[in-house]
Amino acid sequence: MKEELDSSKASFKLDLIETANADPMLSPSDFKLLSAYVAVLKWPSCKTWLAASLAMAMTGLSERQFRISRACLLGKNEAGRAYLVPARSAGKIATYRLVNPWRDEARQHIAAITAYHKEVERQKKAKKRAGLSLQNLPGHKADCPCKICRSVPANSAAYSPLEITPREEEAGEENHGSNVIQFSTRKAS
């Protein structure tokens, strides 16, 4: 039973951190503060408390930034997303309950952003491919099935096998009419 509780605690923490990481409303300082609250979480009640001095020590935030980030985590942001819900307020230290009601929304957001980045990458590749102007080699028709004729960029057409002639020193006495040199006729350099 204890292992099951520990694994569900770890799952809750990981889900909460992943959700907050994907939340565009949270700044890096808000995320740091949320991580500090997660570090002192009591399980299974999900209650947490954090004195300002401990929060500043754990996160490196100033007192002013601590208060701003805590307000954001309490739902005072553009989206109204709250990760902390007041549970009890006594004295200077308030007790909160950590909640994660935005998990499914965060996963949908990640999927949408991933699709966006894939589309941008696809468009970059398509633009790069469109930038290569293809041409046929001399003596070949537009519908030629050979691979060498189908995708020769214009700036490399002069280097196609039909345009390159063998060097006379390599060709030897017999001119074979191609770039193939007989092994026995090659001169040593």
Side-chain angles (χ1 to χ4, degrees), residues 133-171:
S133 66
L134 303 178
Q135 70 178 34
N136 289 325
L137 295 172
H140 289 270
K141 298 178 183 175
D143 59 346
C144 180
C146 69
K147 288 184 180 180
I148 194 105
C149 298
R150 282 188 281 171
S151 59
V152 178
N155 58 357
S156 344
Y159 300 108
S160 67
L162 292 177
E163 296 293 321
I164 300 174
T165 57
R167 292 186 290 186
E168 288 188 27
E169 61 199 41
E170 291 179 351

Side-chain angles (χ1 to χ4, degrees), residues 17-53:
I17 294 296
E18 286 176 347
T19 300
N21 190 42
D23 190 345
M25 291 295 120
L26 293 184
S27 69
S29 57
D30 302 339
F31 187 77
K32 283 174 113 177
L33 185 60
L34 180 66
S35 297
Y37 274 111
V38 167
V40 295
L41 171 75
K42 300 294 180 204
W43 188 255
S45 66
C46 294
K47 289 186 179 177
T48 186
W49 62 270
L50 202 55
S53 57

Side-chain angles (χ1 to χ4, degrees), residues 5 8 16 25 33 47 49 63 68-69 92 98 102 105 115-116 118 120 122 130 146 168-169 171 173 175 186:
L5 281 175
S8 59
L16 184 62
M25 291 295 120
L33 185 60
K47 289 186 179 177
W49 62 270
E63 186 174 354
I68 291 170
S69 292
K92 290 186 175 184
L98 279 168
W102 316 107
E105 204 174 296
Y116 167 78
K118 283 182 179 179
V120 167
R122 187 193 67 75
C146 69
E168 288 188 27
E169 61 199 41
E173 293 176 15
N175 188 349
R186 187 177 187 147

